[in-house]
Amino acid sequence: MTALSAAGLSAIAPQLERLAIEVPSWAYGNSGTRFKVFTTPGTPRTVEEKIADAAQVNRTTGLAPAVALHIPWDKVDDYAALRRYAEDLGMTIGTINSNTFQADQYKFGSLTHADAKIRRAAIDHHLECIEIMTATGSNDLKIWLADGTNYPGQGDMRQRQDNLAESLAEIYAALGDEQRMVLEYKFFEPAFYHTDVPDWGTSYAQVAALGEKAKVCLDTGHHAPGTNIEFIVMQLLRLGKLGSFDFNSRFYADDDLIVGAADPFQLFRIMAEVVRGGGLDEGTDLGLMLDQCHNIEEKIPGQIRSVLNVQEMTARALLVDQEALAEARGNQDVLAANAVFMDAFYTDVRPALAEWRESRGLPADPMAAYAESGYQARINEERQGGQQASWGA
Ligand code: AOS
Ligand code: ZN
């Protein structure tokens, strides 16, 4: 494998320096499958402790300056104080994730529900999330809906789309000038017959009707197997409607594994389209978020590994020799074009990135630096008693 040279790295450094990844507060809590949630020593008991853990990821990598919150899991009395707490740790509050998937009243839907009273409650929840955004300095509201049906005939799919449009319009109208809404899609789960926002086309149709401040959120685990995700990335960037990613990886369904773990080549292909579509250019508003759960591995190192994987694949994507690629494409030289692409993918960027980190005052090996920092031993000791956070709390 060819290794990236120092000169090669300095050519891509300006874009690489802009890489900022948002980590999810729920990644630091215990999580599991529907079979078992294993507890881990040192797991946070409060949102402050989750933010403190997220700050470790940023301290060791310089890549993760924002932490996404989930409401109501991360509710506090004083959001301005929470913002200051985060800022003192060098962090900002990122996306506010709404939650209409755990209350009994949402059993048959939320923003799409047939009953106007339930829709009202769901809209009000989002209006509260916007207030939290204002108080925390967050710019993005992320909406993922568990809405859907399990059996053909159960619901009026058409009416539910209309309900969704109306509900979203009211939420959209409450956004401030600097605030945005991103609508996440998912083709199944928890509903198994139809989902109200199953695909990027539906999300696009809904957000396009709202205006400039509404965009699509693409979770890399939310597609049918075999879907060409980078094509969707290309298309949404082309349309100016890709708001953010929820990065994770999957072998089967919505596995929420460490990003780049299951298919590093797919992550490379996605990042190549991000680069192509201007997603790393100066002034870009594309959000790069993680949406993951660390069920059996340690959570903070799991997040460190994830952001490093994104950085490595971004570096490789930036290495694609665009001139050579254009020439090969111009000559209809299929194999040469593919070879240019693969050369970038097969470049080992790790030694060069380690040196670059050091030159910027960061640890060459963030995983080792975290292991040696003593932070884990300290929180294992300190965080005894209280209620450990879990997915959903
Ligand atoms: C659910 O499948 C989605 O990926 C959402 O992004 C969800 O809000 C997140 O997993 C945390 O609940
Ligand atoms: Zn997601």
Side-chain angles (χ1 to χ4, degrees):
M1 193 185 263
T2 332
L4 174 60
S5 65
L9 181 75
S10 57
I12 62 171
Q15 275 170 299
L16 216 47
E17 261 164 24
R18 279 199 282 276
L19 196 63
I21 300 158
E22 213 178 293
V23 290
S25 69
W26 54 97
Y28 305 94
N30 288 319
S31 62
T33 64
R34 62 202 164 98
F35 299 101
K36 170 73 178 162
V37 173
F38 295 102
T39 62
T40 314
T43 294
R45 298 155 303 177
T46 61
V47 57
E48 286 83 0
E49 289 179 350
K50 294 180 202 173
I51 294 173
D53 289 0
Q56 293 301 310
V57 179
N58 194 41
R59 197 183 62 80
T60 52
T61 65
L63 285 170
V67 56
L69 301 185
H70 208 293
I71 303 301
W73 304 342
D74 297 321
K75 262 187 157 182
V76 290
D77 291 332
D78 187 344
Y79 289 100
L82 190 68
R83 176 187 187 162
R84 283 194 301 278
Y85 175 85
E87 284 170 359
D88 285 348
L89 291 171
M91 302 292 289
T92 59
I93 303 294
T95 305
I96 298 296
N97 291 254
S98 64
N99 179 330
T100 56
F101 51 88
Q102 287 180 311
D104 284 340
Q105 61 182 339
Y106 300 130
K107 183 172 176 180
F108 298 115
S110 61
L111 295 179
T112 68
H113 201 289
D115 183 340
K117 284 198 296 298
I118 308 288
R119 295 203 298 279
R120 181 74 260 148
I123 294 167
D124 287 345
H125 167 66
H126 286 88
L127 300 182
E128 184 192 354
C129 287
I130 294 173
E131 280 170 24
I132 294 171
M133 287 164 67
T134 305
T136 54
S138 157
N139 290 329
D140 283 356
L141 170 66
K142 192 184 92 191
I143 307 180
W144 171 71
L145 301 172
D147 296 30
T149 62
N150 271 4
Y151 296 99
Q154 182 191 327
D156 181 347
M157 294 191 286
R158 163 67 191 263
Q159 183 61 51
R160 291 170 72 100
Q161 277 306 298
D162 295 342
N163 293 347
L164 178 60
E166 205 182 287
S167 301
L168 289 176
E170 188 174 340
I171 299 165
Y172 185 83
L175 291 171
D177 290 346
E178 303 302 317
Q179 295 174 335
R180 306 190 307 170
M181 164 200 287
V182 293
L183 181 63
E184 183 174 355
Y185 60 92
K186 180 177 181 177
F187 77 120
F188 86 110
E189 194 193 49
F192 292 116
Y193 167 57
H194 107 276
T195 292
D196 288 304
V197 190
D199 49 33
W200 74 268
T202 305
S203 177
Y204 176 79
Q206 288 285 350
V207 299
L210 296 170
E212 284 291 299
K213 293 185 288 183
K215 297 196 176 189
V216 177
C217 172
L218 185 158
D219 184 312
T220 50
H222 288 191
H223 308 83
T227 302
N228 183 336
I229 298 175
E230 58 272 23
F231 181 88
I232 302 172
V233 172
M234 172 283 293
Q235 185 69 290
L236 287 172
L237 283 169
R238 173 177 170 270
L239 296 166
K241 279 292 184 189
L242 184 59
S244 58
F245 281 97
D246 265 7
F247 279 122
N248 49 57
S249 71
R250 54 77 73 83
F251 288 98
Y252 300 102
D254 190 18
D255 304 352
D256 280 341
L257 296 174
I258 286 177
V259 52
D263 188 348
F265 184 42
Q266 181 187 62
L267 180 58
F268 167 80
R269 300 193 310 263
I270 290 172
M271 293 316 299
E273 287 304 330
V274 168
V275 171
R276 168 73 176 86
L280 288 180
D281 291 356
E282 195 145 21
T284 177
D285 65 351
L286 179 64
L288 304 175
M289 248 187 310
L290 306 183
D291 179 9
Q292 287 178 219
C293 293
H294 302 292
N295 300 347
I296 54 167
E297 68 275 26
E298 290 206 331
K299 298 162 200 321
I300 299 170
Q303 289 287 284
I304 295 173
R305 179 76 272 156
S306 297
V307 299
L308 292 175
N309 285 352
V310 176
Q311 187 185 43
E312 284 171 20
M313 286 306 151
T314 304
R316 291 181 186 202
L318 288 167
L319 289 176
V320 174
D321 183 339
Q322 298 297 343
E323 244 172 67
L325 191 61
E327 193 186 331
R329 286 173 175 172
N331 296 333
Q332 304 304 330
D333 192 336
V334 177
L335 295 178
N338 181 242
V340 169
F341 206 65
M342 298 312 290
D343 273 351
F345 175 64
Y346 282 122
T347 306
D348 188 0
V349 297
R350 290 171 301 179
L353 284 178
E355 273 179 35
W356 187 57
R357 274 185 210 106
E358 265 192 322
S359 73
R360 298 162 68 231
L362 290 162
D365 181 347
M367 294 291 281
Y370 177 71
E372 286 156 18
S373 70
Y375 183 83
Q376 192 67 47
R378 197 164 69 245
I379 59 174
N380 291 357
E381 183 63 28
E382 280 171 12
R383 295 180 186 171
Q384 299 196 17
Q387 180 74 35
Q388 287 192 326
S390 191
W391 195 90

